[in-house]
Amino acid sequence: MDTTDLFVSAIINAFEGNKRLADNAVAQVSDEKLRIAVDENTNSIAVIMKHVAGNLLSRWTDFLSTDGEKAWRNRDDEFVDSFKSRAELLEYWEQGWSCLFEALQNLTASDIEKTVVIRGEPHTVPLAIERSLGHTCYHIGQIVQVARIQAGDNWNTLTIPKGESEQFNKKNWGEVGKSHS
């Protein structure tokens, strides 16, 4: 496997892991609570998902050949909950992710050396990828946090449960405190 394949594989893995966190968090929240903001200064899970999908569609449609901020994108509308159902929201969410994954899977070694433009600003392809990953992860954290609040006592931990790190390590590595980072 060459360096480009390793890089793209690692990026895809990071995006997939974060999408899985969001999907597992969203699955724990009722349709109604997906649409409720924690307070007047925050966004609901549905709105955050709409924004992430809109951003991914804009950035990753014709990634190498057009500005990442598409003329057809209405960013402000992404912060308005306009979906009629969970299914409609999830369909849009999946469109954004599909666009991202298709673009990433089609990158070649020569593509990694190119420059792309986002809002008129040039970015190396690796920088544009990292920018998208950072932005997406930021919002995935918001989705998980709001979902945790909305699910309340019905929440199922997405990672190692609080207070169970020692058990997890012992089970998975055979030694308490052994680090694999």
Side-chain angles (χ1 to χ4, degrees):
M1 192 177 266
D2 69 13
T3 304
T4 298
D5 291 339
L6 287 169
F7 172 72
V8 172
S9 177
I11 291 295
I12 290 172
N13 182 270
F15 273 112
E16 287 174 338
N18 277 276
K19 181 179 185 298
R20 194 169 32 256
L21 283 172
D23 289 343
N24 290 336
V26 167
Q28 297 186 56
V29 178
S30 69
D31 293 0
E32 177 187 304
K33 288 189 176 183
L34 279 179
R35 304 179 99 122
I36 297 173
V38 176
D39 68 35
E40 64 199 39
N41 297 310
T42 62
N43 294 307
S44 69
I45 294 169
V47 166
I48 300 167
M49 290 173 72
K50 183 179 181 183
H51 170 61
V52 169
N55 180 273
L56 291 175
L57 286 166
S58 183
R59 296 294 183 263
W60 294 96
T61 298
D62 303 322
F63 172 64
L64 296 170
S65 59
T66 62
D67 191 300
E69 187 67 17
K70 304 297 184 279
W72 47 257
R73 183 181 185 201
N74 183 348
R75 184 181 179 280
D76 290 335
D77 182 61
E78 292 169 9
F79 296 95
V80 177
D81 182 0
S82 59
F83 294 108
K84 294 176 179 74
S85 67
R86 176 188 284 257
E88 189 179 341
L89 169 63
L90 292 177
E91 181 180 330
Y92 188 63
W93 171 253
E94 293 298 333
Q95 285 175 16
W97 286 96
S98 293
C99 184
L100 162 77
F101 289 130
E102 182 179 334
L104 287 173
Q105 290 163 352
N106 288 318
L107 288 177
T108 65
S110 63
D111 292 335
I112 297 298
E113 298 175 12
K114 293 179 180 177
T115 298
V116 297
V117 179
I118 302 172
R119 294 188 177 131
E121 181 183 339
H123 291 66
T124 64
V125 166
L127 178 59
I129 292 169
E130 290 297 328
R131 177 178 170 162
S132 183
L133 179 62
H135 175 262
T136 303
C137 291
Y138 169 80
H139 289 301
I140 297 297
Q142 291 176 322
I143 290 169
V144 171
Q145 184 65 35
V146 175
R148 172 65 189 92
I149 292 165
Q150 298 291 27
D153 291 338
N154 296 321
W155 179 254
N156 292 309
T157 300
L158 303 177
T159 59
I160 302 168
K162 188 176 183 178
E164 295 183 23
S165 296
E166 186 175 331
Q167 290 171 308
F168 178 86
N169 287 344
K170 190 171 185 176
K171 176 183 172 193
N172 288 282
W173 296 306
E175 294 180 18
V176 175
K178 184 175 180 184
S179 174
H180 290 307
S181 57

